[in-house]
Short mmCIF file of all heavy atoms in Angstrom, two decimals:
data_model
loop_
_atom_site.label_atom_id
_atom_site.label_comp_id
_atom_site.label_asym_id
_atom_site.label_seq_id
_atom_site.Cartn_x
_atom_site.Cartn_y
_atom_site.Cartn_z
N PRO A 1 -34.80 19.88 9.45
CA PRO A 1 -33.82 20.48 8.53
C PRO A 1 -34.33 21.76 7.86
O PRO A 1 -33.56 22.70 7.62
CB PRO A 1 -33.58 19.38 7.49
CG PRO A 1 -33.95 18.12 8.19
CD PRO A 1 -35.09 18.48 9.09
N GLN A 2 -35.62 21.80 7.57
CA GLN A 2 -36.19 23.00 6.96
C GLN A 2 -36.17 24.18 7.92
O GLN A 2 -35.87 25.31 7.54
CB GLN A 2 -37.62 22.71 6.49
CG GLN A 2 -37.71 21.59 5.45
CD GLN A 2 -39.11 21.43 4.89
OE1 GLN A 2 -39.72 22.39 4.46
NE2 GLN A 2 -39.61 20.20 4.90
N LEU A 3 -36.48 23.92 9.19
CA LEU A 3 -36.48 24.99 10.18
C LEU A 3 -35.06 25.47 10.49
O LEU A 3 -34.84 26.66 10.71
CB LEU A 3 -37.16 24.53 11.47
CG LEU A 3 -38.64 24.18 11.39
CD1 LEU A 3 -39.24 24.12 12.79
CD2 LEU A 3 -39.41 25.15 10.54
N LEU A 4 -34.11 24.56 10.50
CA LEU A 4 -32.72 24.94 10.72
C LEU A 4 -32.26 25.91 9.63
O LEU A 4 -31.61 26.92 9.91
CB LEU A 4 -31.83 23.69 10.74
CG LEU A 4 -31.86 22.85 12.02
CD1 LEU A 4 -31.12 21.54 11.80
CD2 LEU A 4 -31.26 23.61 13.19
N GLU A 5 -32.59 25.60 8.39
CA GLU A 5 -32.19 26.44 7.26
C GLU A 5 -32.83 27.82 7.33
O GLU A 5 -32.17 28.85 7.18
CB GLU A 5 -32.55 25.76 5.94
CG GLU A 5 -32.12 26.55 4.72
CD GLU A 5 -32.47 25.84 3.43
OE1 GLU A 5 -32.99 24.71 3.47
OE2 GLU A 5 -32.22 26.42 2.35
N ILE A 6 -34.14 27.85 7.60
CA ILE A 6 -34.86 29.13 7.64
C ILE A 6 -34.42 29.99 8.82
O ILE A 6 -34.15 31.18 8.68
CB ILE A 6 -36.39 28.87 7.70
CG1 ILE A 6 -36.87 28.28 6.37
CG2 ILE A 6 -37.15 30.17 8.01
CD1 ILE A 6 -38.31 27.83 6.39
N ASN A 7 -34.31 29.38 9.99
CA ASN A 7 -33.96 30.14 11.20
C ASN A 7 -32.50 30.56 11.23
O ASN A 7 -32.12 31.48 11.95
CB ASN A 7 -34.31 29.34 12.45
CG ASN A 7 -35.81 29.32 12.73
OD1 ASN A 7 -36.51 30.28 12.46
ND2 ASN A 7 -36.30 28.21 13.25
N THR A 8 -31.64 29.89 10.44
CA THR A 8 -30.26 30.34 10.31
C THR A 8 -30.20 31.67 9.57
O THR A 8 -29.44 32.57 9.92
CB THR A 8 -29.41 29.29 9.58
OG1 THR A 8 -29.40 28.08 10.34
CG2 THR A 8 -27.99 29.76 9.38
N LYS A 9 -31.05 31.79 8.55
CA LYS A 9 -31.09 33.03 7.76
C LYS A 9 -31.88 34.12 8.48
O LYS A 9 -31.51 35.30 8.42
CB LYS A 9 -31.72 32.73 6.40
CG LYS A 9 -30.90 31.79 5.54
CD LYS A 9 -31.61 31.48 4.22
CE LYS A 9 -30.78 30.52 3.38
NZ LYS A 9 -31.49 30.17 2.11
N GLU A 10 -32.96 33.75 9.13
CA GLU A 10 -33.79 34.71 9.87
C GLU A 10 -34.12 34.13 11.24
O GLU A 10 -35.14 33.47 11.41
CB GLU A 10 -35.08 35.01 9.10
CG GLU A 10 -34.88 35.70 7.75
CD GLU A 10 -36.19 36.10 7.12
OE1 GLU A 10 -36.91 36.93 7.70
OE2 GLU A 10 -36.52 35.55 6.05
N PRO A 11 -33.24 34.34 12.21
CA PRO A 11 -33.43 33.74 13.54
C PRO A 11 -34.79 34.06 14.15
O PRO A 11 -35.26 35.20 14.09
CB PRO A 11 -32.29 34.37 14.36
CG PRO A 11 -31.24 34.70 13.34
CD PRO A 11 -32.00 35.13 12.11
N GLY A 12 -35.43 33.03 14.71
CA GLY A 12 -36.70 33.22 15.39
C GLY A 12 -37.90 33.39 14.48
O GLY A 12 -38.98 33.77 14.94
N LEU A 13 -37.75 33.07 13.20
CA LEU A 13 -38.86 33.28 12.27
C LEU A 13 -39.93 32.20 12.40
O LEU A 13 -41.12 32.48 12.32
CB LEU A 13 -38.34 33.31 10.82
CG LEU A 13 -39.36 33.74 9.76
CD1 LEU A 13 -39.67 35.23 9.90
CD2 LEU A 13 -38.85 33.44 8.36
N VAL A 14 -39.50 30.95 12.63
CA VAL A 14 -40.43 29.81 12.66
C VAL A 14 -40.12 28.94 13.87
O VAL A 14 -38.95 28.69 14.20
CB VAL A 14 -40.31 28.97 11.38
CG1 VAL A 14 -41.36 27.85 11.39
CG2 VAL A 14 -40.47 29.83 10.13
N GLU A 15 -41.17 28.47 14.55
CA GLU A 15 -41.01 27.51 15.64
C GLU A 15 -41.72 26.21 15.29
O GLU A 15 -42.59 26.16 14.42
CB GLU A 15 -41.61 28.07 16.94
CG GLU A 15 -43.13 28.12 16.95
CD GLU A 15 -43.74 28.25 18.35
OE1 GLU A 15 -43.04 27.98 19.35
OE2 GLU A 15 -44.93 28.64 18.42
N LEU A 16 -41.33 25.16 15.98
CA LEU A 16 -42.01 23.88 15.91
C LEU A 16 -42.65 23.61 17.25
O LEU A 16 -41.97 23.56 18.28
CB LEU A 16 -41.03 22.75 15.56
CG LEU A 16 -41.58 21.32 15.63
CD1 LEU A 16 -42.74 21.12 14.66
CD2 LEU A 16 -40.46 20.30 15.35
N LEU A 17 -43.99 23.47 17.27
CA LEU A 17 -44.74 23.16 18.49
C LEU A 17 -45.34 21.77 18.36
O LEU A 17 -45.99 21.46 17.36
CB LEU A 17 -45.86 24.18 18.69
CG LEU A 17 -46.93 23.83 19.74
CD1 LEU A 17 -46.33 23.87 21.14
CD2 LEU A 17 -48.13 24.79 19.64
N ILE A 18 -45.09 20.93 19.37
CA ILE A 18 -45.73 19.61 19.41
C ILE A 18 -46.65 19.57 20.61
O ILE A 18 -46.23 19.80 21.74
CB ILE A 18 -44.69 18.46 19.50
CG1 ILE A 18 -43.71 18.52 18.32
CG2 ILE A 18 -45.42 17.12 19.48
CD1 ILE A 18 -42.38 19.09 18.66
N CYS A 19 -47.94 19.30 20.35
CA CYS A 19 -48.94 19.16 21.41
C CYS A 19 -49.19 17.68 21.65
O CYS A 19 -49.82 17.00 20.83
CB CYS A 19 -50.23 19.88 21.02
SG CYS A 19 -50.09 21.68 21.01
N ASN A 20 -48.68 17.20 22.76
CA ASN A 20 -48.73 15.78 23.11
C ASN A 20 -49.95 15.52 23.97
O ASN A 20 -50.06 16.01 25.09
CB ASN A 20 -47.44 15.41 23.83
CG ASN A 20 -47.43 13.98 24.31
OD1 ASN A 20 -48.16 13.13 23.78
ND2 ASN A 20 -46.62 13.69 25.31
N ASN A 21 -50.87 14.70 23.44
CA ASN A 21 -52.17 14.49 24.06
C ASN A 21 -52.15 13.30 25.01
O ASN A 21 -52.89 12.33 24.85
CB ASN A 21 -53.23 14.30 22.96
CG ASN A 21 -54.61 14.75 23.40
OD1 ASN A 21 -54.80 15.21 24.51
ND2 ASN A 21 -55.58 14.59 22.52
N ALA A 22 -51.27 13.37 26.03
CA ALA A 22 -51.15 12.32 27.06
C ALA A 22 -50.74 10.98 26.48
O ALA A 22 -51.29 9.93 26.83
CB ALA A 22 -52.47 12.19 27.83
N SER A 23 -49.74 11.00 25.60
CA SER A 23 -49.23 9.75 25.01
C SER A 23 -48.58 8.87 26.07
O SER A 23 -48.02 9.35 27.06
CB SER A 23 -48.20 10.06 23.92
OG SER A 23 -48.79 10.75 22.84
N THR A 24 -48.63 7.55 25.82
CA THR A 24 -48.07 6.58 26.78
C THR A 24 -47.06 5.65 26.11
O THR A 24 -46.69 4.63 26.69
CB THR A 24 -49.20 5.74 27.40
OG1 THR A 24 -49.93 5.08 26.35
CG2 THR A 24 -50.15 6.60 28.21
N ASP A 25 -46.62 6.00 24.90
CA ASP A 25 -45.77 5.09 24.11
C ASP A 25 -44.32 5.55 24.01
O ASP A 25 -43.58 5.09 23.13
CB ASP A 25 -46.35 4.93 22.71
CG ASP A 25 -46.33 6.24 21.91
OD1 ASP A 25 -46.18 7.31 22.54
OD2 ASP A 25 -46.48 6.18 20.67
N GLY A 26 -43.90 6.45 24.88
CA GLY A 26 -42.53 6.96 24.83
C GLY A 26 -42.42 8.30 24.12
O GLY A 26 -41.33 8.87 24.03
N THR A 27 -43.53 8.83 23.63
CA THR A 27 -43.53 10.11 22.93
C THR A 27 -43.01 11.24 23.83
O THR A 27 -42.20 12.06 23.41
CB THR A 27 -44.94 10.45 22.42
OG1 THR A 27 -45.31 9.53 21.38
CG2 THR A 27 -45.00 11.86 21.87
N THR A 28 -43.48 11.27 25.07
CA THR A 28 -43.10 12.34 26.00
C THR A 28 -41.59 12.38 26.20
O THR A 28 -40.97 13.45 26.13
CB THR A 28 -43.81 12.16 27.35
OG1 THR A 28 -45.22 12.11 27.14
CG2 THR A 28 -43.48 13.32 28.28
N GLU A 29 -40.98 11.24 26.44
CA GLU A 29 -39.54 11.17 26.67
C GLU A 29 -38.76 11.58 25.43
O GLU A 29 -37.75 12.30 25.51
CB GLU A 29 -39.15 9.74 27.10
CG GLU A 29 -39.71 9.31 28.44
CD GLU A 29 -41.20 8.94 28.42
OE1 GLU A 29 -41.77 8.81 27.32
OE2 GLU A 29 -41.78 8.81 29.51
N TYR A 30 -39.24 11.12 24.27
CA TYR A 30 -38.59 11.49 23.00
C TYR A 30 -38.62 13.01 22.80
O TYR A 30 -37.61 13.62 22.41
CB TYR A 30 -39.29 10.79 21.84
CG TYR A 30 -39.06 11.42 20.49
CD1 TYR A 30 -37.83 11.28 19.85
CD2 TYR A 30 -40.07 12.15 19.86
CE1 TYR A 30 -37.61 11.87 18.60
CE2 TYR A 30 -39.86 12.72 18.62
CZ TYR A 30 -38.63 12.59 18.00
OH TYR A 30 -38.42 13.17 16.78
N LEU A 31 -39.77 13.62 23.08
CA LEU A 31 -39.91 15.07 22.85
C LEU A 31 -39.05 15.88 23.81
O LEU A 31 -38.49 16.91 23.43
CB LEU A 31 -41.38 15.46 22.98
CG LEU A 31 -42.31 14.94 21.89
CD1 LEU A 31 -43.76 15.30 22.20
CD2 LEU A 31 -41.91 15.47 20.52
N ILE A 32 -38.94 15.45 25.04
CA ILE A 32 -38.11 16.16 26.01
C ILE A 32 -36.65 16.17 25.56
O ILE A 32 -35.97 17.20 25.59
CB ILE A 32 -38.25 15.52 27.41
CG1 ILE A 32 -39.65 15.78 27.97
CG2 ILE A 32 -37.18 16.07 28.36
CD1 ILE A 32 -39.94 15.04 29.25
N THR A 33 -36.18 15.02 25.10
CA THR A 33 -34.80 14.94 24.59
C THR A 33 -34.62 15.79 23.34
O THR A 33 -33.60 16.48 23.18
CB THR A 33 -34.45 13.47 24.26
OG1 THR A 33 -34.60 12.68 25.44
CG2 THR A 33 -33.03 13.35 23.75
N LEU A 34 -35.61 15.77 22.46
CA LEU A 34 -35.55 16.55 21.23
C LEU A 34 -35.45 18.04 21.52
O LEU A 34 -34.66 18.76 20.90
CB LEU A 34 -36.79 16.25 20.39
CG LEU A 34 -36.80 16.79 18.95
CD1 LEU A 34 -35.85 15.97 18.08
CD2 LEU A 34 -38.22 16.73 18.38
N LYS A 35 -36.24 18.51 22.46
CA LYS A 35 -36.28 19.93 22.79
C LYS A 35 -34.93 20.43 23.30
O LYS A 35 -34.54 21.58 23.06
CB LYS A 35 -37.37 20.22 23.82
CG LYS A 35 -37.61 21.71 24.09
CD LYS A 35 -38.71 21.91 25.10
CE LYS A 35 -39.06 23.38 25.27
NZ LYS A 35 -37.90 24.23 25.58
N GLU A 36 -34.20 19.57 23.98
CA GLU A 36 -32.89 19.97 24.50
C GLU A 36 -31.90 20.30 23.39
O GLU A 36 -30.95 21.07 23.61
CB GLU A 36 -32.33 18.84 25.37
CG GLU A 36 -33.12 18.60 26.66
CD GLU A 36 -32.63 17.39 27.42
OE1 GLU A 36 -31.78 16.64 26.88
OE2 GLU A 36 -33.12 17.17 28.55
N ASN A 37 -32.13 19.77 22.21
CA ASN A 37 -31.19 19.95 21.10
C ASN A 37 -31.57 21.07 20.14
O ASN A 37 -30.73 21.49 19.33
CB ASN A 37 -31.07 18.64 20.31
CG ASN A 37 -30.50 17.52 21.14
OD1 ASN A 37 -29.58 17.72 21.92
ND2 ASN A 37 -31.06 16.32 21.00
#
């Protein structure tokens, strides 16, 4: 929600990067779906 608010006012100002260290608990699938949105 914080990034949505900031990037609405100044597009492309802030990104969210997640570095997934070979997780095996469903993290990878969750992140792929999240990135699509």
Side-chain angles (χ1 to χ4, degrees):
Q2 299 186 51
L3 297 196
L4 284 170
E5 182 179 357
I6 291 172
N7 285 326
T8 298
K9 295 177 181 177
E10 296 186 63
L13 190 70
V14 184
E15 72 162 343
L16 172 60
L17 167 68
I18 303 102
C19 290
N20 177 22
N21 208 1
S23 296
T24 57
D25 65 343
T27 293
T28 304
E29 294 76 12
Y30 160 74
L31 292 175
I32 291 172
T33 301
L34 190 73
K35 187 179 186 307
E36 293 174 352
N37 297 319

